[in-house]
Structures are given as structure tokens and as C-alpha cells.
Amino acid sequence: MKTVDIIIAVAIHLVIPLIGLLMYLRLLRRMKTEEIPNPPAIDLFLIFATYGGLLLVALTTLLWAWSGMASLGMFYLILVAPIIMGVIAYRNYKKKELSTYHLWTYKAGLLYYAITPVTLGLLIILE
């Protein structure tokens, strides 16, 4: 295995998920300091995991070799994530006036239905 391949693998499978986790924790801390009522912490975790999974599948497709884990990620994105993101959008619809975090959680849930098909379609075209 070449050094470039090792760097790509580490970046895709370790660095990017770690950056996502750190961004999520930073967002939680920010909501706590702003004293947001009923913060959407679990919903935001699921949003970060879902969009992070989409990013990992896209990078795996473009820069790395497809694997069984990538297939499981794709299975989640196509069959499970639409349900989860729909529930998130539904739950935050009435709460969207509470804070910008609730509003963006609602929008992120809805935008999944536009972003994912476009991303997957582009990956099919590019691959």
C-alpha cells in the first residue's frame, strides 16, 4: 500500500469523523452557553451522523475502494436515513421558532430529501 493510499484512508475513515464529532460537541457547548430551551441535541447528532455518512460514502466512491462498510453506509442512507430525517423535520416543525438551532435542525431534516439524491446521482455520473 502506498503512502498516499494510507493518507487517504486515514483522512476518510478517521480524520473526517473526528472533525464531525468535534464540531458536534462544539455546537452542544454553544447551545448550552446560549441557554437554548429544549436543545435538539439528539436530532443534531443524527443529522451530523447522516450527513457525515453521506460525505464518507462520497469520498469513498471518489477517492478510495468500495467496501462492505461503504455498502452498509449506502443501505443506511437510502433506506433508514429518510425515515430518521423525516421524523427530525416533523418533530422540529413546531419548535423552529424557539431558536436558530431548531430552525436549522428542521431545515437539515427537509434538505436531506434534495441533497442526497443529487449527491448520489452525481456520484453515479462521475463514477
Side-chain angles (χ1 to χ4, degrees), residues 67-82:
S67 65
M69 289 304 290
S71 297
L72 288 175
M74 188 66 94
F75 172 79
Y76 167 77
L77 290 171
I78 292 173
L79 298 177
V80 179

Side-chain angles (χ1 to χ4, degrees), residues 54-104:
L54 182 61
L55 178 61
L56 291 180
V57 166
L59 291 174
T60 299
T61 302
L62 296 173
L63 303 174
W64 193 239
W66 195 258
S67 65
M69 289 304 290
S71 297
L72 288 175
M74 188 66 94
F75 172 79
Y76 167 77
L77 290 171
I78 292 173
L79 298 177
V80 179
I83 297 167
I84 291 172
M85 297 302 268
V87 169
I88 288 171
Y90 178 76
R91 286 178 36 166
N92 286 281
Y93 176 73
K94 292 180 183 174
K95 299 178 189 177
K96 63 184 174 183
E97 283 84 26
L98 286 176
S99 71
T100 56
Y101 301 104
H102 290 88
L103 175 64
W104 282 101

Side-chain angles (χ1 to χ4, degrees), residues 5-31:
D5 292 338
I6 293 171
I7 292 170
I8 290 172
V10 168
I12 291 174
H13 302 293
L14 293 176
V15 174
I16 290 177
L18 182 61
I19 290 170
L21 179 62
L22 292 174
M23 288 174 62
Y24 170 72
L25 293 174
R26 182 177 170 209
L27 187 60
L28 284 183
R29 189 173 343 115
R30 195 173 182 187
M31 286 191 299

